Amino acid sequence: MTYPHLRLAEPAHDRVGVHRKDDAWLDARWAEPSSRVLVVSGTRVRPRDGALEWVTPAEAPVGTRVLLGERDGTTWWAVIADGALAAEEKDAWLPLRGLLPALAGTDTDEAPLVFHALGLAEWHWSTRFCPRCGGTLEPQAAGHELRCTQCGRAQFPRTDPAVIMLVTYGEPGADDERCLLGRQAVWPEGRFSTLAGFCEPGETLEDAVRREVAEEVGVPVGQVDYFGNQPWPLPASLMLGMVGRALSTDIVVDADEIEDARWLTRAEMREQAEAGTLVLPGGVSISRSLVEHWYGRPLPGAW
């Protein structure tokens, strides 16, 4: 079975990290007319006719030049320009979340490059001053490092690990085996998803799953197995997919993050998905892959 979330990670580009501090190499590649640049205003990009626009270096505005890497004989870049460009046309410039429908469609091949570019743009946007001394930061290493002009301390892009888990109960594969889905109050009626949460310092992935499930729905979890992962720079996460085995089916929602949670057999899931009363996560999310991995095949309907 091919999992939907993998579509946003392929094909990967060569990040050519060994050249990020090689000014001569960078200048030569920037001068190549075949190089392509994604213009980012603050943390937003401007699609045209529903597709992302990659310009030549000569067409790119002034900004922080970021090397993304090489793929198919082309060198790919991003330029992080002033946020004023997007402010002038607010509806035309979109954040990464607004681009997901396009990236999941005809522009799927561009997703790894766009995730790379906007993940760095979010980091540049939120990391304005040195956390040690408060000094100003200067971009280096083709945009992948920020160095303090006062104390010299270097800052590097961060990725926050988050667990996203499908919790099951019963004999694996049996007709009465059930999985657990929850919903937040702000979601439209019928939308349910897998549970998720951030890892805390000094915590294993397995314990993060057990803690988050216990906190959100009161269900104790025993065995936890790794499923896969998905970069999710919204703004700086790596989603680590897990499958947990519940020790009980008693649900006590926290009424804070989770409004409702329910157990579903495969037959109940299929019936409700076909009727439209159960709307599952989007087709390119690892949450969708977790659900369909347990169910055994694709399901109808998506966010």
Side-chain angles (χ1 to χ4, degrees):
M1 179 176 176
T2 300
Y3 295 114
H5 75 280
L6 296 177
R7 289 166 52 198
L8 292 187
E10 299 173 347
H13 52 287
D14 181 355
R15 300 188 176 217
V16 289
V18 295
H19 292 301
R20 289 175 183 167
K21 295 184 178 181
D22 186 342
D23 291 338
W25 187 92
L26 293 169
D27 289 343
R29 292 302 184 275
W30 183 258
E32 285 285 343
S34 62
S35 292
R36 288 295 177 263
V37 184
L38 182 67
V39 178
V40 184
S41 175
T43 60
R44 294 172 175 252
V45 298
R46 191 186 195 284
R48 294 185 185 276
D49 299 323
L52 295 178
E53 182 179 37
W54 295 82
V55 302
T56 66
E59 297 169 321
V62 174
T64 300
R65 191 172 72 182
V66 175
L67 173 67
L68 302 178
E70 294 184 328
R71 195 178 72 190
D72 301 328
T74 299
T75 306
W76 301 84
W77 305 79
V79 165
I80 306 174
D82 193 285
L85 289 175
E88 294 173 359
E89 300 177 275
K90 290 184 179 181
D91 295 336
W93 292 76
L94 300 178
L96 180 53
R97 191 175 294 277
L99 297 172
L100 288 178
L103 293 177
T106 58
D107 295 330
T108 301
D109 287 354
E110 298 179 356
L113 293 162
V114 176
F115 275 20
H116 189 178
L118 291 186
L120 283 173
E122 289 278 2
W123 174 62
H124 278 260
W125 183 259
S126 62
T127 312
R128 303 296 186 87
F129 302 99
C130 175
R132 170 181 282 179
C133 73
T136 57
L137 297 172
E138 182 178 85
Q140 294 188 356
H144 290 75
E145 181 181 328
L146 294 173
R147 188 169 293 275
C148 180
T149 58
Q150 293 187 35
C151 72
R153 183 182 178 89
Q155 303 297 319
F156 299 93
R158 60 175 294 166
T159 297
D160 300 321
V163 288
I164 183 165
M165 47 277 185
L166 186 79
V167 178
T168 66
Y169 184 84
E171 183 67 26
D175 290 343
D176 61 351
E177 184 190 18
R178 291 170 281 176
C179 79
L180 180 64
L181 299 178
R183 62 170 276 108
Q184 297 181 12
V186 297
W187 293 350
E189 190 65 29
R191 287 191 178 183
F192 278 79
S193 184
T194 52
L195 304 179
F198 285 101
C199 298
E200 295 189 348
E203 187 174 49
T204 67
L205 299 178
E206 293 81 2
D207 284 340
V209 169
R210 298 182 182 106
R211 174 184 54 77
E212 285 288 346
V213 175
E215 289 175 355
E216 294 183 352
V217 295
V219 173
V221 172
Q223 180 178 337
V224 177
D225 296 310
Y226 175 75
F227 170 76
N229 66 87
Q230 180 177 38
W232 202 247
L234 297 164
S237 297
L238 177 66
M239 305 300 291
L240 298 150
M242 315 291 283
V243 177
R245 302 291 298 174
L247 303 176
S248 166
T249 57
D250 295 335
I251 294 174
V252 181
V253 297
D254 64 1
D256 179 18
E257 293 187 58
I258 302 298
E259 176 196 53
D260 186 20
R262 61 183 62 169
W263 292 99
L264 296 165
T265 65
R266 291 177 178 84
E268 290 168 339
M269 181 177 288
R270 181 183 66 253
E271 179 182 358
Q272 295 178 31
E274 290 176 347
T277 56
L278 173 68
V279 185
L280 297 168
V284 293
S285 70
I286 194 170
S287 179
R288 180 77 176 208
S289 295
L290 280 163
V291 171
E292 293 189 347
H293 165 72
W294 175 79
Y295 182 75
R297 59 183 183 274
L299 281 156
W303 292 17

